[in-house]
Amino acid sequence: MAFNGPINEGFPTPDEADRSTVSHVQKGFKISARKLPISKSGPIDEMSKKLDIPVPEMIFGDNMVSIEHVATGWRLEFNAFDALDKVDKTDKNMLKVAYSQEWSSSREKTHEGIKEVVKPFDWSYSTDYRGTITKGKEFQLQKNNEEPIPLELLKRPDPILFFEEVVLYESELDDNGISLFSCKLRVMPDRMLLLCRLFMRLDKVLVRIRDTRIYVDFNTGKVIRDYTEKEDGFDKVKKSLLFSGKLPNDLTVALRDPNQIAHLLPEVTRTLESLTLP
C-alpha cells in the first residue's frame, strides 16, 4: 500500500473517488462499490472528532457500497462513518474483561489529535448498522416475517454479472481478537444479494456475528432487508467446532473465518423489513 505525500492530506479528491468507483446497471438498478487505500491521519483525526470515539486501526473511510433505483433516485449506502456512528458511545455495552482499561489507555495515546480523555465506549466496535438510505422511502417492518429472502432462487446457478467485496473497518482489538466490518455483493440477471457483516471475536470471551442481507428482485422492484445477530461464548464456539468434526490443529484457522462459525452461533435477534420500488 502506497503512502505517498503528506500523511494528513485530504483523500480522495472528487475525481479520484469517481475513478475508484465501479458500477453496474441492471434492470433499472445501479449497484456501485468504491475501494480506496486505508485513511490517512488527517481524515482519521477528523472522523474521530466527529464520532467522539477513537476509530479502529484500519479504517477505510472512503470505501462504500450502494444500491440505487435509477428512476426514483432511491439509494441505500453502506459506509464506515455511519457504521461506526452506531457503535455504543457509553459503557452500557462495554465488554468487561481484564485488559479493557489497558486497551482504552493505549487508544488514547494512538490518537494524539484527541486531547480529552477517551470516554467509555464499546471498544469491540460492535455495530447494528443496517445501511443508510440517502434518498427515498424507508423500509417497513414485516409482520410475522411473512416474506423472507428466497434462498432457493439464490442457490440457482445463474451467471454472476457483478461481484465486489469491500472492507469498511478492521481492528485487532489490541491483539486480542478481531472486529471486522465488510460488505460483499453479487448481481445476477434477475436479482442481487448484498451481505454486510460485522465479525467480532474477542479471544477467550465472545464470538459475535451481525449480518445485514439486502435482497433485490429486479423484476418486481421488491427489496428485502434481513438483519440477524448471533453470538456465543468463545469456549462454546471452540467446542462446537470440535463437535462439527474440526481437528484441534484446525481451530485457530476456523476461529478466524466467520464462514466456518456463523452456522454454529445461536441467533439472538432477527428483523425482516421490505419495500417495493415502482
Side-chain angles (χ1 to χ4, degrees), residues 44-227:
I44 286 175
D45 290 342
E46 183 178 351
M47 181 180 290
S48 294
K49 290 175 182 177
K50 288 181 178 178
L51 291 169
D52 201 27
I53 59 172
V55 300
E57 306 96 279
M58 289 169 279
I59 179 77
F60 298 86
D62 301 302
N63 286 4
M64 70 90 196
V65 296
S66 67
I67 304 170
E68 180 181 354
H69 186 246
V70 178
T72 63
W74 180 88
R75 186 173 180 275
L76 174 67
E77 176 182 310
F78 287 82
N79 63 75
F81 181 91
D82 289 344
L84 289 169
D85 201 28
K86 297 282 287 182
V87 169
D88 186 8
K89 299 174 186 177
T90 71
D91 59 359
K92 185 171 62 175
N93 294 315
M94 238 167 60
L95 294 171
K96 307 296 183 182
V97 292
Y99 43 78
S100 62
Q101 185 59 47
E102 288 79 0
W103 188 90
S104 293
S105 298
S106 71
R107 301 300 287 167
E108 183 179 346
K109 295 175 183 177
T110 299
H111 297 272
E112 297 179 356
I114 303 176
K115 301 302 181 184
E116 69 272 15
V117 175
V118 172
K119 300 174 183 177
F121 72 103
D122 181 5
W123 50 270
S124 74
Y125 294 110
S126 296
T127 179
D128 60 358
Y129 179 56
R130 308 175 196 191
T132 306
I133 294 178
T134 61
K135 184 178 180 181
K137 59 184 178 180
E138 300 287 333
F139 284 95
Q140 298 298 314
L141 188 65
Q142 290 189 16
K143 295 180 180 179
N144 303 317
N145 297 340
E146 73 271 13
E147 192 172 0
I149 292 175
L151 298 179
E152 291 305 315
L153 291 178
L154 291 171
K155 292 177 182 178
R156 291 171 45 171
D158 295 331
I160 297 176
L161 308 177
F162 185 61
F163 174 87
E164 285 292 339
E165 186 169 5
V166 179
V167 175
L168 297 183
Y169 66 78
E170 181 176 353
S171 172
E172 294 183 352
L173 305 181
D174 203 28
D175 295 326
N176 289 294
I178 188 172
S179 184
L180 172 67
F181 195 91
S182 60
C183 300
K184 184 185 297 184
L185 64 88
R186 57 187 171 106
V187 178
M188 288 76 73
D190 294 319
R191 59 193 59 87
M192 71 161 289
L193 182 68
L194 166 65
L195 169 63
C196 285
R197 167 172 285 175
L198 168 84
F199 172 48
M200 195 283 292
R201 187 198 76 244
L202 188 57
D203 293 337
K204 301 181 181 179
V205 180
L206 187 70
V207 179
R208 173 179 288 158
I209 291 178
R210 294 179 177 177
D211 285 342
T212 299
R213 289 176 172 85
I214 307 293
Y215 172 83
V216 181
D217 186 313
F218 297 135
N219 295 320
T220 65
K222 189 81 171 185
V223 184
I224 301 173
R225 178 162 68 181
D226 184 335
Y227 174 76

